Amino acid sequence: MTGEDKPRVAFFDFTGCEGDQLQVINLEDRLLDLVEVVEVVSFREAMTEHSDEYEIAFVEGGVATAHDERRLTDIRDNADVVVALGSCAAFGGINALRNHQDFETVKERVYGEDADSITSYPIARPIEDVIEVEYEIPGCPIDREEFLGAVTALVNGAEPSIPNYPVCLECKFAENTCAFERGETCLGPITRGGCSATCVSAGTHCWGCRGMVDHPNEDAYTDVLEANGLTTEEVIEEYQLYWGWQRDQVAVADGDSQPVADGGER
């Protein structure tokens, strides 16, 4: 494939740890396979060159400031396809931990005497709350193979295939002992699979880093929790590491008001 035939790709980082872009860099020798099919024109973690001419934009990190919103709008104007890269960009992720805490306290805890200089919004949001997003690659961090598969699909004009089944299915394939049977709680029944149940296979439990699976079987999950003397509310309260924003969306669907960036309500 010649340079003129290759789609131009750009990577952008917003509020986040940039671990998803590091996963791309960690492809190492397989990066050569990547550049065979795309032309990377902007990638701050890996190159100094930059171009605003690109067809596909991979965006990592969430929305935390007005500046973020303006940058995202510019990226959306330039790109034919926008892909949310990682949990923070896709559904708020770790950043959304602040959403259910007093923001002044959060700023003081993190920034100390510099807290008053922070202009961040009190509510962290995924990028789709600001711009239209065609696809998401979830994970904290993303899975490198899943990323390569998504790029291959996009280059061939296909839709990236992101699993839409719960982690429990992968636990069964791996013949794992259920976390509940080990006396632990777990978000596997309602978390999107695609991670090969890595955490449970390692002897811990699912933290929900890939976000909630579409249309989860909440009744079945509730039955599992009740059998273990727990309620859905208790588990979600314990596991709000990644799901601060998604919890708000469920509340809105139930008729509650939703917090917005200025601390008011929609």
Side-chain angles (χ1 to χ4, degrees):
M1 185 178 291
T2 66
E4 292 182 357
D5 297 328
K6 297 178 183 178
R8 293 182 293 272
V9 169
F11 292 82
F12 299 95
D13 46 88
F14 283 76
T15 302
C17 69
E18 302 186 18
D20 301 305
Q21 292 174 92
L22 286 175
Q23 280 289 81
V24 176
I25 294 173
N26 285 340
L27 286 166
E28 298 178 344
D29 291 346
R30 299 194 66 187
L31 278 173
L32 297 177
D33 297 331
L34 183 65
V35 298
E36 281 293 318
V37 295
V38 299
E39 179 184 359
V40 180
V41 300
S42 184
F43 193 171
R44 188 179 62 81
E45 289 276 0
M47 57 192 287
T48 56
E49 296 83 4
H50 169 76
S51 171
D52 288 322
E53 295 184 6
Y54 46 84
E55 287 78 45
I56 303 171
F58 290 98
V59 179
E60 177 182 8
V63 181
T65 67
H67 179 249
D68 287 347
E69 293 187 353
R70 292 191 292 270
R71 280 187 67 209
L72 275 174
T73 300
D74 290 342
I75 291 168
R76 178 70 273 184
D77 288 343
N78 288 337
D80 295 329
V81 174
V82 173
V83 182
L85 194 65
S87 298
C88 290
F91 54 87
I94 294 287
N95 286 325
L97 272 172
R98 77 177 71 173
N99 293 9
H100 298 273
Q101 302 180 53
D102 176 74
F103 189 54
E104 293 305 314
T105 301
V106 169
K107 287 197 298 181
E108 291 175 6
R109 184 188 306 136
V110 176
Y111 297 103
E113 61 185 20
D114 296 323
D116 290 341
S117 66
I118 302 303
T119 58
S120 177
Y121 292 147
I123 299 298
R125 297 174 288 160
I127 64 172
E128 70 171 358
D129 198 57
V130 177
I131 62 171
E132 182 179 358
V133 174
E134 277 75 24
Y135 304 108
E136 299 174 352
I137 303 176
C140 184
I142 60 168
D143 180 85
R144 285 172 285 181
E145 295 301 320
E146 191 168 56
F147 170 77
L148 283 176
V151 172
T152 300
L154 290 171
V155 168
N156 289 299
E159 184 170 330
S161 178
I162 304 298
N164 194 27
Y165 49 75
V167 172
C168 284
L169 185 62
E170 295 179 334
C171 269
K172 292 176 181 177
F173 286 145
E175 299 183 347
N176 289 329
T177 299
C178 180
F180 287 101
E181 293 181 9
R182 300 197 308 258
E184 300 183 56
T185 51
C186 184
L187 286 177
I190 53 177
T191 295
R192 184 184 300 276
C195 59
S196 300
T198 298
C199 293
V200 185
S201 297
T204 180
H205 49 250
C206 175
W207 297 89
C209 80
R210 287 176 62 83
M212 190 179 295
V213 67
D214 293 343
H215 312 299
N217 190 339
E218 295 178 2
D219 291 338
Y221 189 42
T222 300
D223 291 342
V224 171
L225 296 178
E226 288 180 349
N228 288 272
L230 298 165
T231 66
T232 305
E233 291 74 18
E234 288 173 331
V235 174
I236 290 178
E237 187 63 31
E238 181 178 352
Y239 291 101
Q240 52 181 320
L241 186 62
Y242 291 99
W243 290 15
W245 178 262
Q246 288 188 312
R247 286 180 62 192
D248 291 340
Q249 306 317 298
V250 172
V252 170
D254 290 339
D256 294 340
S257 57
Q258 177 182 344
V260 292
D262 62 4
E265 293 185 345
R266 278 199 183 113

